Structure formats: C-alpha cells, structure tokens
Amino acid sequence: MTKEEFVSQLERGALQATALPVTSAILLWTAEQLKRGDPAWWKQVAKAWEKRAFVALSEAWSLYLTCLHFEALSDAECELVPYFPSCGGTAEADPSVALARFLASPPPSFFENLKSGQRRTYIASRAVMWTAPAMLFFQRRDLPYYLVEVNAGAGINLAADLFSPMKGFDSALISARVGLEPRPLQVEDIADRRWLTAGIWPDNLPAITELDAALDKIAQRTRNEAAFLQLAPCPPEKAAAFVTKNIPSDDAEVGLLIYNMGTTVRMTDAAYAAYAADMVAMLRAWGERGLWVEVESVRGDTYSTTTQVRLHRVLG
C-alpha cells in the first residue's frame, strides 16, 4: 500500500460517506495531510501494513477508520470522543484538530490493530441473504442442514433469522450454526463488542443501534442455549478442510449450507481460484444436499456498488 494509493482510496471513501460528516471529514483530513508530506504517524502505519495486502479498494481506509473508532470506544479520555456520536459526542464540530492530536501520539494498540485486525461489520439487510436459498434448497424438501459461515466474526449473520425473521422461514431445520473465523469474536466480551461496533462508522447511529440489538439477542439466546451458535478458529482458506474434517457428510438426512459474505472480494484472483476449487472438492461429498452461497461484490469491478448472490452446487 503506497501513500498515493491510500490517498486515492481515502478520497473515494469520503465521496461514499458524504451523508456522514464525521466520517467524511476524517478521511478528507487524512488524505490532505498525506498530500502535504510524510507525517510521522504515516511511517508507522506503513510499517504496520508492510506485510498486508489490500485487494478491495475500501479495505485499507475502512480498517484505518475502524481502528480510530475502536480507540475512542475503548478510552473515555481519547481526543476523538467529543467528536464521535457513537461515544456521546457531536457530529457538528470539525474533528480534524482532535484527530491531529490523537495521531501525534497514538497508543500501541492502534498500530497493532492496523497490523493484524480484521474489520467485521453487520449490515442488517445483507445478513439475511442466506435465508432465501435455505428456504429454496432445504425447506422445500424438509431437509435439516448445517449452516456454516466463513469469516463469521461473532456469528451475527448466522442468527439473522432470530432478529430479522422472514415469513415462513423454519429455523427448526438448522441442525447447527457454525461460524469460522481466524479469531472468533465473543458478543459478551467487552473488547470484542467494541471492535464490532468500531466497524460501523462513528456517526452512523442507526446502524450501531441495529448492531446492539442483534448482539443483545444473540447474547440472551446463547445464555439460555449454549450450543445455539458455535464459533471455531479457522482462516477462510482452510474452511473447506474444516468442514470435511468436522461435519459428517455421510448422513443422507442432513444437508450443508456454507456461505461467505464480503470475504472473497478481499482475495486475489489466485487465492479465490484456490478457495473455489477447495469448496467444489468438499461439496462433492454432499451431492444435491450441499449448497455454497456467496454474497459478494462483483469481482473485477474496481468500484463495484453491486452485491451479487451466487449459488453453487456440485452434482455427480
């Protein structure tokens, strides 16, 4: 990630966030500072990112903003708190002075999260997109199925039927809900919950309210039913192998729905080809009982604003 690339992406992000004054102001101020030279904080950011590859054009700036938001949520004395509505601040004031003060001496955790953090966000309208394929391919046959999500974060999407019920959807057919994530996030862990909140922009309070409601419902359900949601540490490139090893395919009375949302858009073409090949190989054992669902931006479209739902089955 070069400075010039980051500036271009920051400016693009600011255009996309014009309805959010705090978010757009932060992105524009950051871009302007980088145009003027090489501030000390940028050298540290570049070092944190030297072994990271960002494929999606929104990936770097969204992680940067997530890390800023996380620090404000985690420290009541953070300079950014008075300017972030999510922290009780106001969206009316210019956050640039506070941002300059923060970046003059950021805490080590800011750079640690830039180096290894993975933004996981919740979009209510997208979270339910696995339910229609489930009704079409499994419910019509009254076939129970395992529900597996790749890069599941805290598993919020896996429980979308709990807080965004679809008319006629039969949750009882779900044999198990399994979330695969390099580092699973726990809804009852305060730091993990702050990280999930940080993935939503600090002046998008309606989205944060939706997230809080979803997390509260999952927490309540898992307190009453510990096995409601199962999370396992697993990177996306190992997802197919995990399913092969841990979820039996020899029961003709149970199917598999495995899906990814906003995951493969972050893969290079070569990485996606390998991921897809592994998925196809794994699905062969399931035959007509297996379904792979992708909810992703259009591959190869530089500034894609379209989300595609792609369904894959392997027969014969």
Side-chain angles (χ1 to χ4, degrees), residues 47-237:
K47 183 177 179 181
W49 283 348
E50 61 185 1
K51 294 184 179 180
R52 294 195 72 149
F54 297 112
V55 177
L57 292 180
S58 63
E59 197 173 354
W61 70 257
S62 63
L63 177 61
Y64 166 74
L65 189 54
T66 296
C67 293
L68 289 173
H69 194 187
F70 179 76
E71 296 300 332
L73 290 166
S74 302
D75 180 8
E77 301 302 317
C78 177
E79 295 88 343
L80 297 169
V81 167
Y83 301 89
F84 281 8
S86 58
C87 302
T90 176
E92 302 302 320
D94 182 358
S96 59
V97 174
L99 182 56
R101 289 202 302 267
F102 173 83
L103 289 174
S105 183
S109 56
F110 176 67
F111 296 108
E112 290 166 5
N113 285 325
L114 284 172
K115 182 178 180 179
S116 59
Q118 299 290 336
R119 177 177 177 247
R120 297 287 182 257
T121 191
Y122 167 66
I123 301 173
S125 59
R126 192 177 70 178
V128 298
M129 287 188 173
W130 59 266
T131 57
M135 294 177 73
L136 178 64
F137 285 90
F138 299 102
Q139 194 165 315
R140 287 177 62 182
R141 293 183 285 170
D142 199 30
L143 179 67
Y145 57 97
Y146 297 104
L147 181 65
V148 181
E149 182 181 10
V150 180
N151 274 4
I156 308 172
N157 295 333
L158 288 161
D161 57 307
L162 179 65
F163 37 82
S164 299
M166 178 178 289
K167 184 178 180 180
F169 183 79
D170 185 2
S171 298
L173 286 176
I174 302 175
S175 298
R177 303 167 193 256
V178 181
L180 307 181
E181 168 69 27
R183 191 188 77 80
L185 302 172
Q186 306 297 327
V187 298
E188 303 254 35
D189 182 280
I190 186 61
D192 285 353
R193 186 150 178 162
R194 285 171 179 160
W195 182 255
L196 289 165
T197 302
I200 299 175
W201 310 144
D203 42 350
N204 190 353
L205 293 183
I208 291 176
T209 299
E210 286 183 330
L211 171 66
D212 285 341
L215 293 176
D216 287 344
K217 287 187 177 181
I218 292 174
Q220 182 61 49
R221 182 64 177 267
T222 52
R223 288 187 206 117
N224 298 330
E225 186 183 340
F228 171 70
L229 193 59
Q230 303 171 51
L231 299 174
C234 178
E237 63 270 17

Side-chain angles (χ1 to χ4, degrees), residues 286-308:
W286 294 85
E288 64 179 10
R289 294 176 294 114
L291 181 67
W292 170 26
V293 178
E294 296 190 89
V295 182
E296 303 283 350
S297 298
V298 180
R299 289 194 67 79
D301 189 342
T302 303
Y303 297 114
S304 177
T305 58
T306 300
T307 296
Q308 291 182 329

Side-chain angles (χ1 to χ4, degrees), residues 237-246 278 282:
E237 63 270 17
K238 300 293 185 182
F242 178 95
V243 171
T244 298
K245 181 179 179 180
N246 296 283
D278 289 343
M282 177 272 294

Side-chain angles (χ1 to χ4, degrees), residues 9-30:
Q9 293 175 19
L10 286 164
E11 292 176 334
R12 179 74 184 185
L15 286 174
Q16 295 173 336
T18 51
L20 301 172
V22 175
T23 296
S24 58
I26 287 173
L27 299 180
L28 287 173
W29 180 89
T30 304

